[in-house]
Amino acid sequence: MESRYEGYKFRLKDSLIGVQFLFVAFGALVLVPILTGLDTSVALFTAGIGTLLFQFVTRKNVPPIFLASSFAFIAPITFSIEKWGIPATMGGIVFAGFFYVILSLLVRFRGESFLHKLLPPVVVGPVIVTIGLILSPAAVNMAMGKGNEAMYTQNEAMIVAFISLIATICVMMFAKGIFRLIPILLGIVAGYIVSFFMGMVNFTPIFESAWFRIPNFTAPTFEFEPIIYMIPIAIAPAIEHIGDMLAISNVTKENFLENPGLKNTLLGDGLATSLAACFGGPPNTTYSEVTGAVSITKAYNPAIMTFAAITAILLAFVGKLGAVLATIPTPVVGGIMLLLFGIIASVGIETLIKHNVDLAEPRNMIIVALIFVCAIGGMLLDFGLVSFSGVGLGAVVGIVLNLVLPKTKHYEGF
């Protein structure tokens, strides 16, 4: 293993490390399609091809990162599928990826400072908070077994959800080394074992499925409403991308913000998201879990992520794997979601704190307050051809207010 970043070096001896890195990402990767009703095998395939495309775009100086399913899009995808169906939702995600591409062009021609001016912490922090809070009722319903009352009681569901949650928390707090990076996966395993002994697992789909199966690819269709709905959602993961680039730069002691630069990493991330949607997969984002694994293992060679990507693509065609994932009872995932959706919200709060956003300043207070209420309160702005709601509405409100409200001074109270 490398002691420092030496660029891209393709070596077969690194293939097993690549498989290990996919293992780190696996729990979160498959969780998004499980929650949104997309095909887990497609998500594996699109994570693999998305990572390879990202590496091609950044080939001058490839960061050692892995791209896979984005949590920021869970609530929007669920809503969009219910309203417009999977193909139209995928069309919206294609354009959400193009939003990254536009940001990359702005950075290319206007510099990074323009991006920070358009999307400062006072806007991005609250938007990330609303993603977690909007998702929280779904997590609670899953943990309580809502909609599956015929299969198990609410008390049984809560027991399984509680054990999944406790297992995930224990791994996060007390595990050592590589195990600390896979709390979601180990939480799912613990919940799955308990639910098996409680008679909540049906193995029939595993026995009936073939070893080799073509993933359930879905081609996008392009409709105006889901496209307009999805584009603002991309704001939060775009900012998350910048944070991940900063993190991997610190870990490897190589300034990827400068070379290949945000103009190329954002472009690669955006194209990977659009490509994923072309096959019916969830949007891609950079995985901080894998960055953590890079930090622990000191395996800085980005070719390791190539092996992780190839493994993900191969696993996508293993029918038995998709069938095993389909047998996971809802409360197992619900218990973990109670924690994860709360963590998303807390990351938004951390963004405000880390950047010393002064909420005693009326301007900041107004921006944060209106983002929260407009996004979480269920407000819908319908302009006929265009309508905004949820996280997208909150993001638009925050951006507009940030651009139009004048600077104010710190205020001690009312």
Side-chain angles (χ1 to χ4, degrees):
M1 291 185 190
E2 289 81 9
S3 58
R4 61 189 178 83
Y5 181 84
E6 296 176 341
Y8 188 98
K9 298 185 184 300
F10 190 84
R11 297 184 293 245
L12 284 176
K13 68 175 184 177
D14 291 328
S15 57
L16 285 178
I17 306 173
V19 174
Q20 176 180 279
F21 276 35
L22 178 61
F23 184 66
V24 170
F26 190 83
L29 193 167
V30 299
L31 207 51
V32 175
I34 288 172
L35 289 172
T36 55
L38 299 176
D39 190 294
T40 51
S41 297
V42 174
L44 276 164
F45 179 81
T46 54
I49 61 171
T51 300
L52 294 178
L53 177 59
F54 177 85
Q55 292 191 332
F56 175 76
V57 172
T58 60
R59 59 191 179 278
K60 290 181 180 177
N61 201 37
V62 184
I65 60 171
F66 187 79
L67 272 65
S69 315
S70 170
F71 276 76
F73 283 85
I74 292 173
I77 289 174
T78 305
F79 173 82
S80 183
I81 289 174
E82 287 176 5
K83 189 164 184 179
W84 298 295
I86 292 179
T89 298
M90 292 300 115
I93 293 170
V94 168
F95 275 81
F98 290 162
F99 176 80
Y100 284 76
V101 175
I102 291 169
L103 284 181
S104 75
L105 292 174
L106 288 173
V107 171
R108 192 177 297 272
F109 297 113
R110 298 287 298 275
E112 289 177 31
S113 59
F114 176 79
L115 194 62
H116 295 302
K117 184 179 179 182
L118 183 68
L119 300 169
V122 71
V123 172
V124 175
V127 168
I128 296 173
V129 172
T130 62
I131 291 171
L133 295 182
I134 287 172
L135 290 169
S136 57
V140 172
N141 288 337
M142 291 175 71
M144 293 172 66
K146 291 282 181 72
N148 295 293
E149 287 85 358
M151 300 167 67
Y152 35 79
T153 66
Q154 181 175 310
N155 285 343
E156 288 173 334
M158 291 289 282
I159 289 168
V160 169
F162 182 70
I163 289 171
S164 297
L165 174 62
I166 293 300
T168 305
I169 291 172
C170 287
V171 173
M172 287 178 72
M173 293 189 67
F174 305 115
K176 302 290 185 184
I178 202 74
F179 290 105
R180 191 172 186 177
L181 297 168
I182 50 172
I184 295 173
L185 195 60
L186 296 180
I188 289 174
V189 169
Y192 194 86
I193 292 170
V194 172
S195 56
F196 165 72
F197 285 110
M198 293 177 68
M200 294 165 62
V201 181
N202 177 18
F203 290 117
T204 306
I206 300 174
F207 298 130
E208 292 181 347
S209 65
W211 277 103
F212 176 83
R213 181 182 79 96
I214 302 293
N216 187 25
F217 294 124
T218 304
T221 60
F222 300 100
E223 298 175 23
F224 190 71
E225 283 193 7
I227 289 172
I228 292 299
Y229 174 75
M230 279 293 174
I231 288 174
I233 312 297
I235 291 170
I239 296 300
E240 180 191 15
H241 170 96
I242 297 170
D244 286 339
M245 283 300 112
L246 189 60
I248 195 66
S249 296
N250 290 336
V251 165
T252 59
K253 303 296 186 286
E254 177 80 12
N255 190 354
F256 294 113
L257 293 168
E258 188 175 297
N259 182 23
L262 274 180
K263 59 183 181 292
N264 288 314
T265 60
L266 272 170
L267 176 64
D269 202 343
L271 292 176
T273 289
S274 296
L275 182 64
C278 289
F279 289 92
N284 279 322
T285 191
T286 48
Y287 262 31
S288 51
E289 298 98 315
V290 177
T291 299
V294 170
S295 177
I296 286 176
T297 60
K298 302 292 186 286
Y300 299 144
N301 181 5
I304 289 168
M305 302 307 170
T306 306
F307 287 111
I310 293 169
T311 306
I313 292 168
L314 294 175
L315 286 177
F317 292 90
V318 179
K320 295 284 187 189
L321 175 61
V324 168
L325 296 173
T327 63
I328 300 172
T330 304
V332 173
V333 178
I336 296 165
M337 290 297 93
L338 292 174
L339 177 65
L340 281 188
F341 292 163
I343 287 176
I344 292 173
S346 65
V347 167
I349 296 170
E350 182 194 20
T351 302
L352 292 171
I353 295 170
K354 189 187 292 182
H355 293 89
N356 298 315
V357 176
D358 185 4
L359 290 180
E361 185 180 328
R363 180 183 186 277
N364 292 341
M365 192 185 298
I366 291 165
I367 293 171
V368 173
L370 289 177
I371 289 174
F372 282 159
V373 175
C374 293
I376 300 170
M379 181 182 288
L380 173 69
L381 282 187
D382 193 344
F383 299 105
L385 286 174
V386 184
S387 63
F388 295 100
S389 63
V391 178
L393 176 60
V396 170
V397 167
I399 290 171
V400 171
L401 288 175
N402 177 63
L403 292 174
V404 301
L405 291 179
K407 296 283 184 184
T408 55
K409 294 181 179 179
H410 177 92
Y411 185 58
E412 292 301 335
F414 294 101

